[in-house]
């Protein structure tokens, strides 16, 4: 070999860095390296989980490279950052999402296969972070995905719960809750940052003093101090370098042992302090809609909010910016009222710790915060008993009094002699025992207030927040929710993704409005046939899964009629059950009746303390027991309850649906986001005029949506007239027969007592108006059955649903937040060569 020849050979190949390279060879080498040096394993003894960890670390290295460049750029360019404060996040498994976003799914698959392994089974090893209950937490995760993809500087702050939402098992038809030990085997996605720990104070008392300038000041002497340790998880954007941070706080005792207590012999007392502190972030409250009065819950809220705000102020000052410009560099979104205490905490930090004057601090606070409301249910509006609040946060109580006094002074000037108005607007609820109204604190302390769907925002303005709307109409906006097409289409439905991309290209992945191009294809019979083939294959996948896990054989040509969401009376899973029983009765009466075969699939968790919701699960499984095994039914109806509905399991469900059940009582569901995921994957919706259903129906057009039920106005009128559910029961034989069958013990081995509470609730109160909507629902379901017979028209309608769902991307929602509330701009991230960065 001549020297020239050797140089030529060297130039012809380029060895990639093992931590950043993206070729399958490099990835394979990196995975083997991580297996060896991180897991401490060699192939002969490595478990699938070890391989999962090795692959996860390999992908994380690629993310870190982008993440570091992102953080660096934001520091250097002094950009404005969105801070999303949310007590809940449901990001779902990270690995596959990162493969999709980085565009290395195929390379990693190849790398893994070359080692004789299968990527799907490696992906299945991941334990998802169940750090939320439902829609609110999942929305936060979709928004983090869109923020990164749109290259908007953002940090998502939250709580690192040691135990997330419980795992659900079904035993003898009942829900059983199992502790979610998601951290048991380690979490490769998080990086602890103990050096950035902050202190959070609780309890104690306050005392006034005069500062050097002669100004009146207050200091807070706490009873207890807890440390907050940040754990950072990188959040990738789709095919961009931007990688944002989800920073979750864990509570720890400041010292592992309180040595002073230890020295005087109080060993257990010293350990107790540690236990008390660490209990703070132990477990997520498993209620979908907020609960009242639990001290630990207020402690969790204050803890993560205080950690986050202290962290933001520190970042701001580290960038060399004066405290007075804080609101120009950060905008803080309150995801519901859970972090609303932030308003008082930022005031405390600015006034007590950074010694600003009240008015200056208030201007900064109001301009920094914005508030999203997620529910109208009156029982869900968070309020805290004054005593509890004052003993835990004595200084914040004083600050809230001061905010309230200044606010009510303003109100008094506007509404002369209107004490009712004042009482309604006040941050303090009087009467009986006084309470702090967190929604009011959020409204007063924010420059923008938004609802999550058009109807919801209108109802906010007319109802719960009417007085605030009258006062500050300019603060109110609607931002209809959206979901990320990366996870909810590309990741969960590769078959449909491929078909669509083949026809219209892949721009839709970041510009979902481009789905519009599918409209003309709805007219193409050959395309419709392919679409049907895909749908059938995806339904078969779910059927296989259910066969394997529950031993139930499903007919993939039946209508897959699915309701998957938290179990709640307002969401009306039991209305769905009344339809099942009605169909059952019809077939029993007329065994030769030609009904299209249907598979009813349910998924969802009930709050552990919500007895009625748990009874609804038992009703679904009990009806399934009877119906699935009744020979007269000839397999025309099947009822399946899929246990443990979470992000992972939901991913099998949305793509397989023909029919999406969105049947809440009108006016109760703020938005819903499952409705969007189903539609995006080509299901038709049967729904009420509630939440985002209304806008989905407008978008897909009325002919392509199965509408039933009373409107929210009807429901109000119905109740005002004195709603008597019994009237519907007495005058509707099919309804009566269905309810009587439940009451008779037919589905409970003759036990009439079992479902009595549910039957009584329906006949005596029926707060969610199931009986009033029953006939309309049944008629609509009959139309669904009819329509499904004509498969070709059904498919056309499904394609049109997808073609017109573009508006419900979280990218659109985030763009609206940026434009109307946050006033932030994208910042592109360029990668420095790794070697260069190291030097
Ligand atoms: C709430 C509402 C849902 C809404 C979601 C996200 O009940 O209707 O879609 O927030 O805004 N508790 C929730 O999940």
């Amino acid at each position: 070999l001549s020297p020239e020849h050797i140089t030529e050979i060297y130039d012809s190949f380029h060895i990639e860095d093992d931590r950043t390279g993206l070729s399958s060879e490099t990835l394979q080498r990196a995975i083997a390296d991580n297996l060896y040096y991180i897991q401490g394993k060699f192939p002969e003894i490595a478990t699938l989980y070890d391989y999962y960890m090795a692959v996860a670390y390999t992908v994380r290295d690629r993310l870190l490279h982008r993440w570091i460049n992102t953080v660096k750029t934001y520091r250097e360019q002094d950009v404005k950052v969105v801070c999303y404060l949310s007590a809940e996040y449901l990001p779902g498994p990270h690995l596959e999402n990162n493969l999709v976003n980085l565009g290395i799914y195929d390379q990693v698959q190849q790398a893994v296969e070359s080692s004789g392994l299968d990527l799907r089974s490696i992906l299945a090893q991941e334990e998802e972070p169940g750090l939320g209950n439902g829609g609110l937490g999942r929305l936060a995760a979709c928004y983090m995905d869109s923020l990164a993809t749109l290259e908007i500087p953002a940090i998502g702050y939250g709580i690192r719960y040691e135990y997330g939402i419980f795992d659900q098992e079904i035993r003898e038809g009942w829900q059983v809750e199992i502790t979610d030990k998601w951290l048991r085997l380690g979490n490769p996605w998080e990086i602890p940052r103990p050096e950035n720990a902050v202190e959070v104070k609780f309890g104690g008392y306050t005392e006034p003093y005069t500062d050097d300038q002669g100004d009146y000041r207050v200091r807070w002497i706490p009873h207890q101090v807890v440390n907050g340790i940040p754990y950072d998880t990188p959040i990738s954007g789709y095919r961009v370098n931007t990688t944002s941070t989800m920073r979750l706080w864990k509570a720890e005792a400041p010292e592992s042992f309180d040595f002073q207590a230890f020295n005087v012999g109080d060993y257990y007392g010293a350990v107790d302090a540690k236990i008390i502190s660490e209990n703070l972030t132990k477990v997520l409250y498993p209620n979908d809609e907020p609960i009242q009065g639990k001290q630990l819950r207020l402690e969790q809220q204050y803890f993560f909010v205080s950690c986050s705000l202290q962290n933001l102020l520190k970042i701001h000052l580290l960038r060399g910016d004066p405290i007075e410009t804080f609101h120009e560099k950060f905008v803080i979104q309150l995801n519901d009222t859970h972090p609303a205490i932030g308003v008082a905490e930022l005031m405390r930090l600015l006034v007590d710790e950074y010694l600003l004057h009240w008015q200056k601090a208030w201007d900064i606070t109001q301009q920094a915060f914005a508030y999203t409301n997620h529910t109208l249910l009156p029982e869900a509006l968070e309020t805290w008993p004054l005593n509890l609040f004052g003993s835990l946060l004595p200084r914040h109580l004083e600050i809230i009094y001061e905010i309230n006094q200044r606010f009510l002074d303003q109100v008094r000037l506007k509404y002369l002699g209107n004490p009712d108005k004042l009482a309604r607007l006040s941050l303090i609820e009087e009467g009986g025992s006084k309470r702090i109204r967190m929604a009011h604190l959020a409204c007063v302390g924010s420059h923008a207030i938004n609802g999550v769907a058009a109807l919801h925002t209108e109802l906010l303005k007319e109802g719960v927040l009417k007085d605030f709307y009258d006062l500050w109409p300019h603060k109110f906006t609607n931002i209809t929710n959206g979901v990320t097409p990366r996870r909810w289409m590309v990741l969960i439905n590769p078959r449909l993704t491929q078909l669509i991309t083949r026809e219209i290209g892949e721009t839709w992945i970041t510009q979902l409005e481009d789905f519009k191009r599918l409209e003309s294809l709805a007219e193409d019979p050959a395309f419709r046939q392919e679409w049907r083939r895909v749908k059938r294959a995806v339904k078969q996948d779910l059927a296989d899964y259910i066969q394997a896990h529950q031993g139930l054989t499903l007919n993939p040509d039946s209508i897959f009629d699915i309701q998957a969401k938290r179990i709640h009376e307002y969401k009306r899973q039991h209305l769905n059950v009344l339809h099942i029983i009605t169909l059952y009765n019809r077939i029993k009466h007329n065994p030769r009746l030609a009904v299209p075969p249907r598979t009813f699939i349910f998924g969802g968790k009930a709050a552990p303390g919500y007895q009625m919701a748990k009874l609804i699960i038992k009703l679904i499984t009990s009806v399934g027991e009877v119906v699935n095994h009744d020979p007269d039914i000839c397999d025309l109806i099947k009822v399946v309850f899929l246990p443990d509905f979470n992000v992972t399991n939901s991913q099998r469900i949305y793509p397989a649906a023909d029919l999406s059940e969105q049947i809440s009582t009108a006016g109760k569901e703020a938005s819903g986001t499952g409705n969007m995921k189903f539609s995006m994957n080509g299901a038709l919706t049967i729904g009420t005029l509630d939440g985002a259903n209304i806008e989905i129906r407008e978008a897909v057009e009325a002919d392509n949506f199965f509408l039933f039920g009373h409107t929210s106005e009807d429901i109000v009128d119905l109740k005002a007239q004195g709603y008597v559910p019994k009237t519907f029961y007495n005058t509707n034989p099919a309804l009566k027969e269905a309810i009587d069958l439940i009451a008779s013990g037919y589905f409970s081995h003759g036990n009439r007592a079992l479902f009595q509470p549910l039957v009584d609730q329906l006949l005596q109160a029926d707060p969610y108006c199931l009986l009033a909507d029953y006939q309309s629902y049944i008629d609509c379901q009959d139309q669904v059955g009819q329509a499904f017979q004509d498969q070709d028209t059904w498919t056309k309608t499904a394609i049109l649903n997808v073609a017109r769902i573009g508006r419900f991307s979280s990218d659109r929602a985030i763009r609206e937040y940026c434009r109307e509330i946050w006033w932030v701009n994208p910042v592109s991230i360029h990668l420095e060569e790794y070697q260069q960065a190291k030097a």
Side-chain angles (χ1 to χ4, degrees):
L1 287 177
S2 68
E4 293 77 29
H5 200 155
I6 290 175
T7 319
E8 204 175 295
I9 291 174
Y10 270 108
D11 285 350
S12 71
F13 67 84
H14 165 71
I15 299 178
E16 291 186 308
D17 188 291
D18 270 9
R19 298 233 188 218
T20 59
L22 301 178
S23 72
S24 67
E25 295 78 17
T26 311
L27 289 162
Q28 196 185 348
R29 219 168 43 236
I31 292 166
D33 193 70
N34 283 333
L35 187 70
Y36 198 96
Y37 286 105
I38 293 193
Q39 288 307 98
K41 291 280 183 85
F42 51 91
E44 287 77 3
I45 62 158
T47 62
L48 255 189
Y49 194 80
D50 290 321
Y51 273 103
Y52 157 70
M53 292 292 268
V55 174
Y57 278 110
T58 302
V59 172
R60 194 184 84 172
D61 283 340
R62 276 81 196 147
L63 284 183
L64 286 186
H65 182 38
R66 287 158 178 76
W67 192 16
I68 287 167
N69 279 284
T70 305
V71 173
K72 249 179 130 187
T73 309
Y74 295 167
R75 266 185 80 107
E76 285 160 11
Q77 297 189 11
D78 201 25
V79 301
K80 184 171 180 185
V81 181
V82 175
C83 312
Y84 204 77
L85 287 195
S86 180
E88 303 192 3
Y89 287 93
L90 280 174
H94 291 289
L95 178 54
E96 189 174 4
N97 192 240
N98 286 326
L99 296 182
V100 167
N101 283 357
L102 289 167
I104 55 170
Y105 189 97
D106 293 344
Q107 292 91 308
V108 169
Q109 184 167 38
Q110 216 184 315
V112 160
E113 280 173 4
S114 310
S115 310
L117 294 155
D118 157 54
L119 182 55
R120 298 302 326 166
S121 29
I122 289 178
L123 293 173
Q125 298 299 306
E126 184 168 349
E127 187 94 47
E128 72 169 78
L131 311 182
N133 276 287
L136 175 133
R138 182 53 230 180
L139 186 78
C142 282
Y143 283 180
M144 288 304 291
D145 178 276
S146 284
L147 281 162
T149 299
L150 294 171
E151 305 182 295
I152 305 295
I155 311 178
Y157 284 106
I159 301 174
R160 183 177 175 278
Y161 300 105
E162 185 175 336
Y163 305 122
I165 186 71
F166 63 87
D167 295 333
Q168 179 193 57
E169 279 184 13
I170 301 296
R171 291 192 201 144
E172 279 159 25
W174 294 97
Q175 165 176 299
V176 175
E177 298 94 24
I178 314 285
T179 317
D180 164 50
K181 300 187 175 149
W182 72 292
L183 291 167
R184 188 185 37 195
L185 298 173
N187 172 7
W189 303 104
E190 65 183 12
I191 297 190
R193 309 275 194 202
E195 71 280 13
N196 289 329
V198 297
E199 290 190 344
V200 180
K201 304 186 242 187
F202 289 99
Y205 58 95
T206 63
E207 63 184 23
Y209 70 98
T210 310
D211 71 11
D212 304 343
Q213 264 73 50
D215 285 333
Y216 170 86
R217 295 281 172 195
V218 177
R219 82 178 130 238
W220 175 16
I221 293 95
H223 167 71
Q224 198 199 348
V225 174
V226 175
N227 270 7
I229 316 290
Y231 284 68
D232 289 352
T233 301
I235 303 294
S236 56
Y238 181 80
R239 308 292 157 93
V240 289
N241 294 321
T242 302
T243 304
S244 344
T245 304
M246 178 170 71
R247 174 162 279 193
L248 306 181
W249 299 93
K250 173 182 195 267
E252 280 184 7
E255 299 283 341
S256 299
F257 283 96
D258 180 335
F259 283 103
Q260 215 183 327
F262 192 41
N263 288 338
V264 295
D266 188 10
Y267 179 81
Y268 290 100
V271 178
D272 272 355
K274 180 173 163 67
I275 293 171
I276 290 167
S277 306
E278 302 197 343
N279 271 344
L280 242 163
T281 51
K282 210 28 104 197
V283 59
L284 166 81
Y285 277 95
N287 284 63
D288 193 22
E289 309 290 348
I291 19 88
Q292 306 280 314
K294 287 268 186 282
Q295 173 163 340
L296 181 60
R297 168 91 171 176
L298 178 59
E299 289 174 9
Q300 289 184 335
Q301 296 180 348
Y302 175 64
F303 167 75
F304 99 90
V305 166
S306 176
C307 289
S308 308
L309 293 176
Q310 290 186 58
N311 187 236
L312 287 176
L313 288 171
K314 194 166 131 194
I315 296 173
H316 183 68
L317 297 175
L318 271 177
R319 289 205 293 199
D321 290 324
I323 195 92
E324 288 80 6
T325 63
F326 178 75
H327 58 285
E328 293 167 22
K329 299 298 158 66
F330 295 98
V331 56
I332 307 169
Q333 192 67 35
L334 301 171
N335 197 24
D336 218 303
T337 52
H338 317 150
I341 182 68
V343 171
E345 173 66 355
L346 186 58
M347 284 303 288
R348 183 189 72 81
L349 289 166
L350 295 177
V351 173
D352 293 359
E353 313 259 331
Y354 291 93
L355 305 178
L356 292 188
H357 286 297
W358 182 279
Q359 192 54 49
K360 181 73 216 165
W362 185 242
D363 289 343
I364 295 172
T365 300
Q366 267 195 326
Q367 290 179 72
F369 282 105
Y371 159 55
T372 306
N373 173 288
H374 291 269
T375 179
L376 293 159
L377 299 190
E379 68 268 29
L381 286 180
E382 273 190 311
T383 60
W384 293 106
L386 206 89
N387 297 338
L388 186 158
F389 192 96
S391 66
L392 198 67
L393 302 170
R395 178 58 183 142
H396 297 77
L397 185 58
E398 294 172 358
I399 290 173
I400 287 173
Y401 275 136
E402 173 94 35
I403 295 173
N404 199 34
Q405 193 175 61
R406 289 168 183 248
F407 166 57
L408 292 181
D409 282 347
Q410 227 184 311
V411 174
R412 224 172 265 116
L413 292 181
K414 185 154 174 162
Y415 301 102
L416 287 170
N418 190 343
D420 289 352
K421 190 91 177 173
L422 250 66
R424 288 202 306 270
L425 280 164
S426 173
L427 305 192
I428 317 287
E429 185 183 298
E430 304 283 340
S433 59
K434 294 186 179 183
R435 307 179 73 97
I436 319 257
R437 296 161 161 164
M438 299 312 277
H440 291 212
L441 179 62
C443 286
V444 174
S446 295
H447 69 274
I449 302 164
N450 77 286
V452 291
L455 173 71
H456 172 231
T457 303
E458 284 315 304
L459 294 175
L460 275 182
K461 295 198 277 195
E462 290 165 14
V464 212
L465 300 181
K466 180 178 189 307
D467 293 305
F468 288 97
Y469 179 64
D470 291 344
L471 198 57
W472 302 310
H474 60 275
K475 276 199 193 185
F476 285 73
T477 4
N478 172 248
I479 301 202
T480 299
N481 284 166
V483 302
T484 170
R486 270 75 66 186
R487 183 175 291 274
W488 300 115
M489 187 68 188
V490 178
L491 189 152
I492 71 172
N493 204 342
R495 296 175 202 268
L496 195 58
T497 295
Q498 211 180 10
L499 175 65
I500 292 174
T501 303
R502 194 193 69 199
E503 295 297 327
I504 64 168
E506 58 177 28
T507 56
W508 59 270
I509 298 173
T510 49
Q511 284 160 233
L512 202 61
E513 300 281 359
D514 288 352
F515 266 176
K516 272 267 158 324
R517 300 195 195 134
L518 291 168
E519 284 225 2
S520 54
L521 288 160
E523 301 301 327
D524 175 351
F527 183 73
R528 288 201 295 268
Q529 208 182 339
E530 286 195 76
W531 187 281
R532 245 187 329 273
R533 243 203 308 272
V534 165
K535 187 54 136 192
R536 159 91 205 204
V538 172
K539 287 166 75 179
Q540 185 68 58
D541 291 343
L542 181 61
D544 291 346
Y545 178 83
I546 290 171
Q547 175 75 260
H549 289 80
Q550 280 168 273
L552 253 172
T553 309
L554 302 184
N555 169 8
D557 293 317
S558 64
I559 308 175
F560 277 24
D561 176 336
I562 310 189
Q563 188 168 18
K565 49 179 83 247
R566 283 301 283 253
I567 312 292
H568 202 295
E569 286 165 280
Y570 85 76
K571 297 179 190 276
R572 303 199 294 191
Q573 280 89 356
H574 45 341
L575 178 58
N576 190 338
V577 175
L578 288 177
H579 171 237
I580 300 174
I581 299 174
T582 303
L583 279 186
Y584 175 78
N585 286 337
R586 282 188 196 162
I587 300 173
K588 290 296 269 188
H589 293 318
N590 182 0
R592 278 184 307 260
L593 193 73
V595 294
R598 279 217 206 207
T599 303
F600 294 92
I601 299 173
F602 292 85
K605 294 175 184 175
Y610 187 174
Q611 292 313 320
M612 191 61 79
K614 294 177 114 171
L615 195 56
I616 291 175
I617 293 180
K618 178 64 176 167
L619 178 66
I620 295 168
T621 54
S622 303
V623 169
E625 254 330 281
V626 171
V627 172
N628 295 350
H629 300 113
D630 187 333
D632 291 351
I633 300 305
C634 303
D635 292 336
L636 286 175
I637 311 176
K638 285 275 186 262
V639 181
V640 188
F641 191 94
L642 279 176
D644 205 28
F645 183 67
N646 55 17
V647 176
T648 308
N649 292 328
S650 79
Q651 295 181 174
R652 285 181 255 280
I653 296 178
Y654 296 117
D658 293 305
L659 188 67
S660 152
E661 297 271 355
Q662 305 302 335
I663 59 177
S664 52
T665 315
K668 298 293 178 194
E669 188 71 89
S671 164
T673 41
N675 45 7
M676 302 167 189
K677 296 165 198 167
F678 278 113
S679 262
M680 197 174 279
N681 282 275
L684 307 196
T685 305
I686 182 164
T688 47
L689 286 178
D690 199 16
N693 296 352
I694 298 175
E695 290 155 82
I696 293 176
R697 177 167 172 268
E698 260 162 33
V700 305
E701 294 182 12
D703 289 351
N704 305 307
F705 186 105
F706 295 101
L707 177 70
F708 77 95
H710 290 78
T711 64
S712 60
E713 286 164 351
D714 295 343
I715 298 276
V716 172
D717 293 346
L718 197 66
K719 294 209 168 158
Q721 290 155 17
Y723 174 50
V724 185
K726 264 271 173 65
T727 327
F728 290 92
Y729 168 83
N730 287 327
T731 54
N732 189 325
L735 171 61
K736 182 168 187 305
E737 193 185 3
I739 294 181
D740 288 350
L741 202 60
I742 300 172
S744 75
Y746 187 84
F747 300 109
S748 41
H749 305 281
N751 178 355
R752 295 162 153 266
L754 184 63
F755 296 119
Q756 199 60 48
L758 195 146
V759 170
D760 286 349
Q761 176 76 339
L762 287 182
L763 294 182
Q764 267 135 53
D766 191 19
Y768 299 105
C769 303
L770 279 75
L771 304 206
D773 275 348
Y774 168 83
Q775 195 54 50
S776 166
Y777 182 54
I778 297 295
D779 293 343
C780 193
Q781 284 285 21
D782 289 341
Q783 288 172 34
V784 170
Q786 280 290 321
F788 197 74
Q789 314 274 43
D790 179 355
Q791 273 293 294
D792 205 39
T793 310
W794 182 280
T795 307
K796 188 165 148 183
T797 314
I799 299 171
L800 287 179
N801 262 264
V802 176
R804 297 170 180 175
I805 206 68
R807 189 169 165 246
F808 300 93
S809 164
S810 44
D811 298 340
R812 184 270 313 149
I814 287 299
R815 284 199 187 93
E816 289 179 10
Y817 277 100
C818 288
R819 201 178 54 232
E820 287 169 35
I821 296 179
W822 298 336
W823 299 87
V824 293
N825 294 308
V827 176
S828 309
I829 305 300
H830 304 285
L831 289 188
E832 276 176 36
E833 278 302 315
Y834 175 51
Q835 295 302 336
Q836 204 178 313
K838 270 203 297 196

